[in-house]
Amino acid sequence: MEIKNIKAVYFVGIGGIGMSALARYFKVMGYEVAGYDRTPSPLTRKMTDEEGFEITYEDEVKNIREVFQDKEHTLVVYTPAVPKENRILSFFRDNGYALHKRAEVLGFLSRSKKALCVAGTHGKTTTTTMLAFLLHHSHVGCSAFLGGISSNFGTNLLIDKDSDYVVIEADEYDRSFLHLHPEIAVITAMDADHLDIYGTREHLIEAFEEFALQTRGKLFLRKGLELKKRTITGHYAAGEKTDYYADRLRVDNGSYLFDYIGKDLEIKDLRMCFPGRVNVENATAAITVALSVGVTPEEIREALPLFKGVSRRFDIHAKSDRLIYIDDYAHHPREIEASLSSIREMWPAKRLTVAFQPHLYSRTNDFYPEFAKSLNLADQVILLDIYPAREQPIPGVTSKLIADRLTVPFVRVTKEEFPEYVKENVKEGIFMTVGAGDIDRFIPVFTEMFNHPDC
């Protein structure tokens, strides 16, 4: 790809979190930018209403403006989540445009910087955002392509033309992360996931092995993970000793206090106000990389308490003596287990009601016993129908597969029934919406509901 010849960039699937970060980058850099997505979302509405993006939701070639029909000077970026039969994508493909996946373009852009990449089947978005936040609040600085909307920055893109470093979330979906060649890398988890792409966990592990081999410098893994083909720099953990770990972890007035212990460095009494024990582990990884590139212990001590998290990652939208409303993007059994365990640790006496929307027929089919096991940590479960995303239905695969294995009280509701059921039946304790589909469209509804004076 000769970026110097490009004048316009069209994104097919512009509303994706990774795609939107790239779109924002090209717009900031002065290119003509537009795109298509299947449905509006809070993210795309912000892009159109506040940032001046041109986005169409109709899969019609007539909506492609003339400036994007100059194939010699137009780059087309697409996501594999868009079906191959999509008319707009087919138009570009059939007419010989330069088509590149988001990961290819990101890989190209990252070569001009020292890339700090965080990979893993879960935990990577929070860890990536923490790392970018720590660097941004230090003398080192960074650009960043994030897999979520930073609650501190209100965006998934940071641009720092004076820093040599770029922080990148390395996505394993469709082997996207194999386009990256990190200076330093972290692997947070390698649990079986995306089996619609990889087939088996063994093939997934092979992809992580290849990603590790592409890492030029230091490589850090969460304790318990091992690689056969690549020597690692060290393991990290929270609450158990290893090369880099968080020690003396305790809850203090709604936040965490812990000591960071490295191979040759200790930082005592760090405070983190972002909830969730698993996020202390993520913070340990972020701190380890930050120290490796020159961030000072004092800069970390000052910045960490200011970190507010990532949109849809343990996001608290309402809090009163009677009820706390939390939203979380968790869509894998291990993620759900970690989130619910954190809630039980922080609010052990409160009743926990979890509303879960399964994401993908294939993932539900692969993990329905594990989903039920993790959801059984709640006091009550509200199950929605499966969000299909890019998939066609699989006969016999519905949320009932999960429901049949629950041992706690549950109810299955449609999206139309969902708000009214919650209004009538969730009066106190902790209410949590969970899933990677469109369950997030209910966040404003429940936020208003539970912040109402009568609640």
Side-chain angles (χ1 to χ4, degrees), residues 196-451:
D196 55 323
I197 300 294
Y198 290 99
T200 65
R201 183 174 184 269
E202 289 70 28
H203 289 149
L204 174 73
I205 299 299
E206 288 173 7
F208 276 99
E209 292 270 14
E210 189 174 342
F211 170 76
L213 288 172
Q214 293 176 184
T215 300
R216 298 188 293 265
K218 295 178 180 180
L219 174 64
F220 303 99
L221 271 63
R222 182 177 60 81
K223 186 177 181 181
L225 302 181
E226 299 294 341
L227 295 173
K228 296 178 180 178
K229 300 178 181 178
R230 183 20 166 111
T231 301
I232 69 168
T233 307
H235 288 95
Y236 68 90
E240 50 182 329
K241 292 185 177 180
T242 186
D243 302 302
Y244 310 89
Y245 63 100
D247 195 24
R248 294 202 312 128
L249 175 60
R250 62 266 192 211
V251 177
D252 176 63
N253 196 28
S255 61
Y256 287 105
L257 286 175
F258 63 94
D259 298 342
Y260 172 86
I261 312 295
K263 288 183 176 179
D264 53 7
L265 175 69
E266 295 186 11
I267 312 176
K268 297 286 189 180
D269 297 322
L270 288 173
R271 182 177 294 274
M272 188 182 79
C273 301
F274 183 51
R277 176 177 283 261
V278 68
N279 290 317
V280 177
E281 184 176 81
N282 295 333
T284 303
I287 291 167
T288 301
V289 177
L291 290 169
S292 296
V293 298
V295 179
T296 69
E298 192 54 39
E299 287 174 331
I300 288 171
R301 182 184 302 282
E302 291 176 2
L304 189 61
L306 304 176
F307 180 71
K308 296 179 181 179
V310 188
S311 177
R312 301 220 62 222
R313 269 69 174 183
F314 216 98
D315 222 350
I316 299 176
H317 291 278
K319 189 173 184 179
S320 68
D321 292 339
R322 285 182 55 197
L323 191 139
I324 300 171
Y325 168 44
I326 302 171
D327 176 68
D328 197 278
Y329 188 73
H331 54 283
H332 185 278
R334 287 288 298 276
E335 295 172 332
I336 296 172
E337 179 184 356
S339 292
L340 271 56
S341 296
S342 292
I343 288 175
R344 289 302 194 193
E345 177 184 48
M346 298 190 77
W347 298 287
K350 289 187 177 293
R351 176 178 174 80
L352 173 58
T353 302
V354 175
F356 175 54
Q357 182 189 47
H359 184 259
L360 298 179
Y361 295 102
S362 59
R363 184 179 283 124
T364 304
N365 193 42
D366 289 334
F367 300 117
Y368 61 87
E370 290 86 352
F371 277 124
K373 182 180 178 181
S374 61
L375 290 168
N376 280 331
L377 292 172
D379 294 300
Q380 180 189 11
V381 174
I382 303 170
L383 273 178
L384 279 73
D385 294 331
I386 297 170
Y387 182 77
R390 56 189 177 271
E391 293 185 337
Q392 296 299 315
I394 298 175
V397 177
T398 70
S399 61
K400 186 175 184 297
L401 289 174
I402 300 171
D404 288 345
R405 285 158 180 80
L406 291 173
T407 58
V408 297
F410 71 90
V411 62
R412 294 175 66 201
V413 300
T414 65
K415 285 190 283 190
E416 291 72 26
E417 298 167 335
F418 184 33
E420 188 62 28
Y421 178 85
V422 172
K423 182 179 180 180
E424 294 298 322
N425 294 278
V426 181
K427 303 293 187 182
E428 60 183 8
I430 296 173
F431 173 61
M432 190 173 193
T433 47
V434 177
D438 63 355
I439 194 170
D440 63 336
R441 81 185 212 193
F442 295 101
I443 293 174
V445 176
F446 295 134
T447 299
E448 181 179 1
M449 183 185 298
F450 295 129
N451 280 310

Side-chain angles (χ1 to χ4, degrees), residues 103-164:
E104 293 177 295
V105 181
L106 196 55
F108 176 83
L109 294 174
S110 68
R111 290 190 189 105
S112 62
K113 298 269 189 178
K114 295 177 181 178
L116 311 177
C117 300
V118 180
T121 48
H122 49 83
K124 59 182 176 289
T125 298
T126 300
T127 306
T128 304
T129 310
M130 279 185 173
L131 176 57
F133 184 80
L134 293 177
L135 265 65
H136 178 80
H137 280 268
S138 77
H139 72 283
V140 177
C142 69
S143 297
F145 293 90
L146 307 175
I149 302 299
S150 163
S151 297
N152 291 93
F153 303 126
T155 183
N156 50 0
L157 173 71
L158 296 178
I159 296 179
D160 184 342
K161 296 179 181 178
D162 296 325
S163 175
D164 292 334

Side-chain angles (χ1 to χ4, degrees), residues 56-195:
T56 181
Y57 305 101
E58 295 180 352
D59 183 18
E60 298 292 344
V61 174
K62 66 181 182 181
N63 294 324
I64 304 172
R65 278 200 296 120
E66 185 176 349
V67 66
F68 300 101
Q69 297 190 27
D70 175 7
K71 69 179 181 181
E72 300 301 323
H73 300 99
T74 298
L75 167 67
V76 177
V77 188
Y78 73 99
T79 169
V82 173
K84 293 181 179 179
E85 60 272 17
N86 177 273
R87 293 187 187 93
I88 291 176
L89 183 60
S90 297
F91 167 80
F92 288 127
R93 183 176 57 239
D94 296 345
N95 285 280
Y97 281 72
L99 267 69
H100 291 274
K101 295 180 182 178
R102 177 193 66 88
E104 293 177 295
V105 181
L106 196 55
F108 176 83
L109 294 174
S110 68
R111 290 190 189 105
S112 62
K113 298 269 189 178
K114 295 177 181 178
L116 311 177
C117 300
V118 180
T121 48
H122 49 83
K124 59 182 176 289
T125 298
T126 300
T127 306
T128 304
T129 310
M130 279 185 173
L131 176 57
F133 184 80
L134 293 177
L135 265 65
H136 178 80
H137 280 268
S138 77
H139 72 283
V140 177
C142 69
S143 297
F145 293 90
L146 307 175
I149 302 299
S150 163
S151 297
N152 291 93
F153 303 126
T155 183
N156 50 0
L157 173 71
L158 296 178
I159 296 179
D160 184 342
K161 296 179 181 178
D162 296 325
S163 175
D164 292 334
Y165 293 100
V166 57
V167 177
I168 299 174
E169 178 168 329
D171 188 3
E172 76 279 2
Y173 175 70
D174 198 39
R175 298 178 171 84
S176 294
F177 60 172
L178 298 184
H179 293 284
L180 301 171
H181 295 269
E183 184 76 18
I184 299 176
V186 173
I187 298 178
T188 61
M190 295 189 293
D191 294 313
D193 199 7
H194 300 303
L195 299 186

